[in-house]
Amino acid sequence: MSKYLLNCFLLVLPLFIWNIALYKYLPKGYTSKDIWDDIPFWLNITENILRVIVFLFPLLMVLSFQSKTQKIGLVVYLAALLIYFLSWILQIYFSDSLWSRSLIGFMAPAYTTIFIFIGIAMIGTQSIILIPRVSLIYILASILFVSIHTYHSYLAYINLRQHI
């Protein structure tokens, strides 16, 4: 029973909590209206389908820290989580800085998530049900999601800069 409860979805929860708690404090360009304006329909659908896959797939991955890979994965995950949180903090508290106003700074909350997902994949090397190469499948889905999500962020940045 514990293998069903102790799954890698627990590692996704900090992202949900962080996003829900702090989304309203993000500067212009990150609001629902700004981020979804002028975004192609195909991108919207693709991103949201991949988001569901990447955020729910960890339900099938066993949370374990037994192997060396899993322990390294925990370190990668925690470091990546810190970097992700920092990318948000810089946008919220230093939104007028050169970093936050730059393309790479604006997109940081999107592209830094890949390292979180890699950490999760390293931790969740086994699946609750028989899924061969579960980590590889998760990494591939994560790369697709982060690529689309980052491209969306790029389009939002371009849209924001055109309206300033």
Side-chain angles (χ1 to χ4, degrees), residues 21 46 48 53 64 91-92 117 147:
T46 305
N48 283 313
I53 292 169
S64 175
Q91 287 299 326
I92 292 169
F117 300 140
S147 297

Side-chain angles (χ1 to χ4, degrees), residues 62-105:
V62 176
L63 182 66
S64 175
F65 305 108
Q66 301 297 323
S67 73
K68 184 176 181 177
T69 299
Q70 291 167 327
K71 291 174 185 172
I72 293 170
L74 178 60
V75 172
V76 169
Y77 168 80
L78 291 172
L81 204 58
L82 226 62
I83 291 168
Y84 175 73
F85 290 164
L86 180 61
S87 74
W88 274 63
I89 289 168
L90 290 172
Q91 287 299 326
I92 292 169
Y93 291 107
F94 303 101
S95 58
D96 288 331
S97 70
L98 285 175
W99 166 260
S100 294
R101 296 183 74 215
S102 72
L103 176 62
I104 196 165

Side-chain angles (χ1 to χ4, degrees), residues 8-149:
C8 288
F9 184 74
L10 294 173
L11 301 173
V12 179
L13 290 177
L15 295 173
F16 286 138
I17 294 166
W18 184 267
N19 290 351
I20 290 167
L22 297 179
Y23 178 77
K24 61 186 170 210
Y25 299 108
L26 285 169
K28 183 167 176 44
Y30 290 98
T31 64
S32 291
K33 183 183 178 329
D34 296 327
I35 206 85
W36 292 105
D37 273 1
D38 302 322
I39 300 301
F41 180 73
W42 70 267
L43 182 67
N44 182 347
I45 295 299
T46 305
E47 181 178 6
N48 283 313
I49 289 169
L50 288 168
R51 177 180 283 115
V52 168
I53 292 169
V54 167
F55 282 87
L56 293 182
F57 196 80
L59 283 165
L60 303 174
M61 302 166 74
V62 176
L63 182 66
S64 175
F65 305 108
Q66 301 297 323
S67 73
K68 184 176 181 177
T69 299
Q70 291 167 327
K71 291 174 185 172
I72 293 170
L74 178 60
V75 172
V76 169
Y77 168 80
L78 291 172
L81 204 58
L82 226 62
I83 291 168
Y84 175 73
F85 290 164
L86 180 61
S87 74
W88 274 63
I89 289 168
L90 290 172
Q91 287 299 326
I92 292 169
Y93 291 107
F94 303 101
S95 58
D96 288 331
S97 70
L98 285 175
W99 166 260
S100 294
R101 296 183 74 215
S102 72
L103 176 62
I104 196 165
F106 181 86
M107 292 187 341
Y111 66 77
T112 56
T113 57
I114 191 61
F115 302 107
I116 294 170
F117 300 140
I118 288 170
I120 292 172
M122 293 174 73
I123 293 166
T125 57
Q126 298 172 341
S127 59
I128 292 170
I129 59 174
L130 185 59
I131 301 174
R133 302 177 194 255
V134 66
S135 291
L136 179 61
I137 293 168
Y138 187 68
I139 286 176
L140 292 175
S142 297
I143 289 169
L144 284 172
F145 168 68
V146 172
S147 297
I148 295 291
H149 187 51

